[in-house]
Amino acid sequence: MQRIYIPILASLITVLFSCASKDNSEEVNNLIEEKRAEVAPDKRVALWDLRFENDSLKGETDQPEALDALIDELKSQEINFTDAVSILPDAALGDKTKALVTISVANIRSNPKHSAELATQALMGTPLTVLKQDDGWFLVQTPDGYLSWVDRAGIHLMTEAELERWFREPKVVFTSLIGYVWKTEDQSEMVSDLVAGDILTIAEETKDQLKVNLPDGRQGWISSNEAQDWQSWIASRNTSPEALITTAKQMMGTPYLWGGTSIKGVDCSGFTKTIYYLNGQIIPRDASQQINEGELVDADKNWDKLQVGDLLFFGVKGTPEKKERVVHVGMWIGNGEFIHSRGLVRISSFDPENPNYDEYELGRYLRTKRIVNVPSEHVLSVSELLTNN
């Protein structure tokens, strides 16, 4: 009897063990990747950091609906797993999942440390969504969707209700390129520096000065002629050729700063982003994102097709083996010239007879896109900044 049943028993054990230890990792990770391509193709604006290992779904995401869809798919395929995914905003934040930038220009970095790459900047009064904390740093999302890390000293954490109350307060936009908030009207002690585009709330008005509140509760005085109330500033914004050129040329000579989006320093896409912000539009952060907006104007160096405000993109053309690389952007200002940040904000020309002739950029020109008066999914009105965060 033993010679008959022992082999059968051994076979049953082998079958049961095989079923219990089936590795679904490759199948599930493929599903994770498919969902990532759908909901988070650009990790700069959507977080989908998931993996499947040891029968557990792990990682974190700010896409809860996509996670629910993935879990439903795993269940429908009868894949057993443990759900260990963290959904952001992190529950440890409590109800403090909103914030305002409290300094003139907040440096927002790719990782939670001062030595990390500068990813972007945000101006005072910019509302942020807060996703998690790491040792005094906060992962935040800017109104244009950019995900990166900011030091706690640069922001004021708030609940949604507190932010809503701030939205309703009367505000001013600082309009001079640079300036200061002073502790007293005699301007003897500085509270903070300011740059164009900073947003403050009004506490008191005198004949020629404004007492303002910074987002973290500090107060001080600015000259009335250096600011404009929010509503009239919004109403006066436009992307006319004159407005775009004036704003761009005001920043001539501004030093290049990787990750910079302010008068203190700009990279190429930070410069075009700042031009459009100060004229009422929020456009995506990076050149490789900006190129996906608007409508195609030119790809054949036919400069007659271009209008003031068009964005010119430069880089390395794609081949069957390699994807196109977009590495630079500038704005067309007419007469064969464009303005851009390379080393510093400068004007270049495609005319060989022009003293600003730029053979280098001509050689890596890709194409031109138009966003002025062209509906585009990721181009927003600045008025939405204080209503749609």
Side-chain angles (χ1 to χ4, degrees):
M1 295 294 291
Q2 287 180 329
R3 292 180 182 178
I4 296 174
Y5 289 112
I6 287 177
I8 295 175
L9 182 61
S11 297
L12 287 172
I13 292 172
T14 300
V15 169
L16 291 171
F17 182 82
S18 298
C19 290
S21 62
K22 181 182 178 181
D23 186 1
N24 294 301
S25 296
E26 182 175 357
E27 179 183 357
V28 176
N29 282 316
N30 285 339
L31 290 172
I32 290 172
E33 177 58 23
E34 289 175 8
K35 185 60 69 174
R36 184 204 65 78
E38 176 188 338
V39 302
D42 187 344
K43 65 181 181 181
R44 292 168 293 187
V45 297
L47 186 60
W48 183 257
D49 184 16
L50 302 187
R51 63 192 183 280
F52 186 78
E53 57 186 26
N54 299 325
D55 294 328
S56 288
L57 190 60
K58 302 177 180 179
E60 59 184 8
T61 182
D62 64 347
Q63 306 291 315
E65 292 181 2
L67 177 62
D68 289 343
L70 174 64
I71 289 174
D72 288 344
E73 177 64 23
L74 297 182
K75 290 179 178 178
S76 72
Q77 296 189 27
E78 298 183 348
I79 296 174
N80 294 320
F81 66 96
T82 299
D83 180 4
V85 176
S86 297
I87 299 176
L88 303 181
D90 190 345
L93 294 171
D95 57 358
K96 300 282 189 177
T97 58
K98 298 295 180 180
L100 289 170
V101 175
T102 62
I103 54 180
S104 63
V105 180
N107 292 324
I108 306 182
R109 301 189 178 277
S110 57
N111 287 295
K113 54 185 178 179
H114 285 292
S115 59
E117 175 186 56
L118 183 63
T120 189
Q121 294 178 320
L123 303 184
M124 181 184 292
T126 299
L128 306 169
T129 295
V130 183
L131 298 177
K132 67 176 181 177
Q133 180 182 7
D134 184 350
D135 192 26
W137 289 80
F138 290 88
L139 180 64
V140 298
Q141 189 163 38
T142 59
D144 58 359
Y146 218 78
L147 292 165
S148 35
W149 293 87
V150 64
D151 182 1
R152 78 160 65 238
I155 62 172
H156 176 57
L157 294 173
M158 311 175 81
T159 65
E160 287 196 27
E162 289 170 336
L163 184 59
E164 284 296 327
R165 284 196 294 272
W166 182 85
F167 283 164
R168 294 192 292 269
E169 293 179 19
K171 298 176 184 63
V172 292
V173 179
F174 191 75
T175 52
S176 294
L177 289 180
I178 57 173
Y180 305 94
V181 178
W182 300 99
K183 188 173 183 178
T184 57
E185 292 180 81
D186 62 7
Q187 301 186 352
S188 59
E189 182 180 335
M190 189 177 79
V191 176
S192 174
D193 71 319
L194 295 172
V195 301
D198 284 347
I199 302 171
L200 308 106
T201 59
I202 303 171
E204 184 181 333
E205 297 185 52
T206 66
K207 180 180 178 181
D208 56 2
Q209 294 199 55
L210 294 172
K211 188 176 186 181
V212 293
N213 299 310
L214 281 66
D216 57 1
R218 288 177 292 162
Q219 288 188 324
W221 295 86
I222 62 173
S223 297
S224 299
N225 60 10
E226 292 181 317
Q228 189 173 358
D229 78 86
W230 172 258
Q231 295 299 334
S232 62
W233 185 81
I234 286 293
S236 65
R237 298 304 90 192
N238 68 83
T239 51
S240 68
E242 296 78 16
L244 293 172
I245 290 176
T246 296
T247 301
K249 288 187 174 181
Q250 283 179 333
M251 297 179 67
M252 284 286 288
T254 299
Y256 183 93
L257 175 65
W258 179 271
T261 62
S262 74
I263 190 64
K264 293 185 176 183
V266 287
D267 59 21
C268 63
S269 55
F271 177 53
T272 53
K273 180 177 176 63
T274 298
I275 294 170
Y276 272 89
Y277 173 77
L278 294 177
N279 287 286
Q281 288 194 325
I282 299 173
I283 67 175
R285 172 63 185 88
D286 294 339
S288 59
Q289 297 170 312
Q290 293 176 7
I291 199 171
N292 296 320
E293 305 305 318
E295 65 181 14
L296 178 65
V297 175
D298 172 73
D300 303 311
K301 302 180 181 179
N302 186 347
W303 315 127
D304 291 338
K305 294 181 179 180
L306 275 56
Q307 297 177 5
V308 172
D310 288 347
L311 298 182
L312 289 74
F313 296 93
F314 306 85
V316 181
K317 294 180 184 282
T319 68
E321 293 77 30
K322 292 184 178 180
K323 291 183 178 180
E324 175 184 83
R325 288 182 59 234
V326 181
V327 300
H328 192 60
V329 60
M331 189 186 80
W332 190 253
I333 58 174
N335 299 318
E337 294 181 323
F338 62 99
I339 190 167
H340 60 132
S341 177
R342 193 186 74 207
L344 73 169
V345 173
R346 65 176 73 212
I347 292 174
S348 290
S349 173
F350 290 141
D351 179 0
E353 304 301 318
N354 189 303
N356 294 322
Y357 177 58
D358 197 328
E359 184 178 8
Y360 174 69
E361 296 298 358
L362 180 63
R364 60 178 188 166
Y365 173 76
L366 295 173
R367 56 191 174 277
T368 296
K369 301 292 289 289
R370 180 167 300 151
I371 59 175
V372 173
N373 298 323
V374 176
S376 196
E377 180 181 2
H378 299 111
V379 176
L380 308 174
S381 165
V382 172
S383 62
E384 296 178 69
L385 176 70
L386 300 189
T387 57
N388 247 7
N389 188 56

